[in-house]
């Protein structure tokens, strides 16, 4: 790479040597995600991964892609970039596990106004941490410098994952029936959805200094610390449950909250009946509702309200599923039941 430098390109705002330095700095983080199925390393035109189908007679690949949304603004206002990559991974891998698939590989894409190698490496550090938590490998990525299109301090982050599941084990809700039990897996906070509303509630774009405020509801944390808490990754505990329990539906609670996401896992003719008093809602959401004057319906239709993922199992297996989840670090609990009807009933 010694001869790879263009004064003309640098004058136009793109320093390709900064890209090389960013790759050098991030390699230590990427190495944490590699396993025996990874072939080669960073620097090729594509990431190679050997697919082991020993336990999959009929393997099916599943892919998912997402970004972090305007939560990026919180990271930028706080100048803290080492956890936002966890969010990016979580938004993708939590989706594919809803089909019963194990995420295998992840790739990220970072667009920035100016490539500051140390900042890019911090972002990728978070991506790598997310991959470790999900048990997948970071096999590649791309950093694109966009001078004149984005402000120098600005960046956007997106990614995608590819997972695999045997065709016979793809999650099927055909056995769902009234009386089945829904189990809540608690969230770590707002996760990565609803931040346009969060920013409006606190007028953060005009007063980012509010992120340093401490509220009684937050137990000593600053608002920024509470909001930037990375999205919880549920892959390992959910896959552990699926090995021992018949899971009839999984919902990743993202944008649209309860009303949009839970119905996506329901069998036709079934509804999710949930007592609002049974939802263990962290004080952060009470703070958002109070400061913003947000109606209860809109809260449940925008935020996860403390529930990051919902599993539906037969009533006879609910206790066993909760026990497995608790053994894997999830403070899971009974959220509601399946009843005849349609959609979500919050009572």
């Amino acid at each position: 790479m010694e001869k790879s430098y263009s004064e003309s390109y640098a004058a136009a705002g793109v320093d390709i040597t900064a890209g090389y330095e960013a790759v050098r700095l991030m390699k230590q983080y990427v190495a944490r995600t590699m396993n025996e199925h990874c072939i080669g390393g960073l620097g090729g035109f594509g990431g190679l991964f050997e697919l082991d189908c020993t336990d999959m007679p009929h393997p099916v690949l599943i892919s998912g892609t997402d970004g972090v949304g305007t939560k990026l603004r919180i990271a930028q206002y706080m100048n803290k970039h080492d956890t936002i990559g966890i969010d990016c991974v979580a938004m993708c891998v939590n989706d594919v596990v809803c089909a019963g698939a194990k995420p295998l590989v992840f790739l990220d894409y970072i667009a920035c106004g100016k490539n500051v190698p140390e900042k890019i490496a911090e972002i990728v550090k978070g991506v790598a941490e997310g991959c470790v938590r999900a048990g997948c490998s970071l096999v590649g990525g791309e950093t694109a410098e966009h001078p004149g299109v984005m402000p120098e301090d600005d960046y956007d982050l997106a990614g995608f994952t590819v997972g695999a599941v045997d065709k016979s084990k793809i999650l099927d809700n055909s056995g769902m029936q009234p009386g089945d039990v829904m189990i809540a897996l608690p969230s770590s906070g707002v996760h990565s959805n609803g931040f346009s509303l969060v920013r409006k509630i606190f007028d953060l774009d005009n007063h980012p200094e509010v992120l340093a405020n401490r509220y009684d509801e937050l137990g000593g944390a600053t608002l920024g610390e509470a909001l930037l808490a990375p999205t919880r990754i549920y892959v390992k505990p959910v896959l552990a449950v699926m090995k021992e329990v018949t899971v009839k539906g999984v919902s990743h609670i993202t944008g649209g909250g309860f009303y949009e996401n839970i119905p996506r896992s329901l069998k036709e003719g079934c509804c999710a009946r949930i007592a609002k008093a049974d939802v263990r809602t962290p004080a952060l959401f009470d703070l958002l509702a109070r400061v913003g004057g947000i109606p209860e319906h809109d809260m449940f239709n925008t935020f996860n309200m403390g529930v990051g993922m919902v599993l539906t199992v037969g009533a006879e297996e609910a206790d066993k599923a909760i026990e497995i989840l608790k053994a894997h670090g999830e403070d899971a609990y009974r959220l509601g039941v399946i009843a005849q009807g349609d959609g979500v009933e919050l009572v």
Side-chain angles (χ1 to χ4, degrees), residues 21-33 42 80-90 106 108-110 116-134 136-138 140 143 155 157 230 233:
E21 175 63 8
V23 171
R24 187 189 70 80
L25 292 174
M26 70 178 68
K27 280 186 175 180
Q28 60 179 313
Y29 307 125
V30 176
R32 297 181 59 218
T33 75
L42 294 182
K80 179 174 171 53
H81 311 286
D82 62 344
T83 62
I84 201 74
I86 300 174
D87 293 285
C88 188
V89 175
F106 191 86
D108 60 52
Y109 175 83
I110 305 169
V116 179
E118 293 77 13
K119 180 190 288 187
I120 299 300
E122 283 292 286
I123 297 169
V124 176
K125 178 182 179 182
V127 174
E129 174 61 27
C131 288
V132 169
R133 295 183 186 185
C136 63
S137 298
L138 180 57
T143 301
Y155 66 88
L157 172 64
I233 292 176

Side-chain angles (χ1 to χ4, degrees), residues 153-224:
D153 291 338
D154 202 3
Y155 66 88
D156 196 10
L157 172 64
F160 80 92
T161 189
V162 177
V165 59
D166 189 74
K167 190 173 183 179
S168 66
K169 296 181 179 179
I170 296 174
L171 203 63
D172 181 4
N173 67 8
S174 61
M176 188 177 292
Q177 61 184 3
D180 287 342
V181 173
M182 290 178 292
I183 298 171
L185 280 67
S187 70
S188 54
V190 182
H191 281 184
S192 300
N193 303 101
F195 274 88
S196 293
L197 179 55
V198 170
R199 287 167 37 240
K200 181 177 184 295
I201 288 172
F202 293 100
D203 196 18
L204 293 179
D205 295 333
N206 292 315
H207 297 284
E209 69 275 6
V210 173
L211 291 168
N213 288 356
R214 299 182 188 274
Y215 295 85
D216 292 339
E217 292 95 329
L218 302 182
T222 67
L223 176 63

Side-chain angles (χ1 to χ4, degrees), residues 53-61 99-101 164-174 242-243 245-247:
C53 299
T54 305
D55 298 324
M56 297 184 193
H58 195 156
V60 175
L61 298 180
V165 59
D166 189 74
K167 190 173 183 179
S168 66
K169 296 181 179 179
I170 296 174
L171 203 63
D172 181 4
N173 67 8
S174 61
M242 289 178 177
K243 286 182 179 180
V245 172
T246 300
V247 178

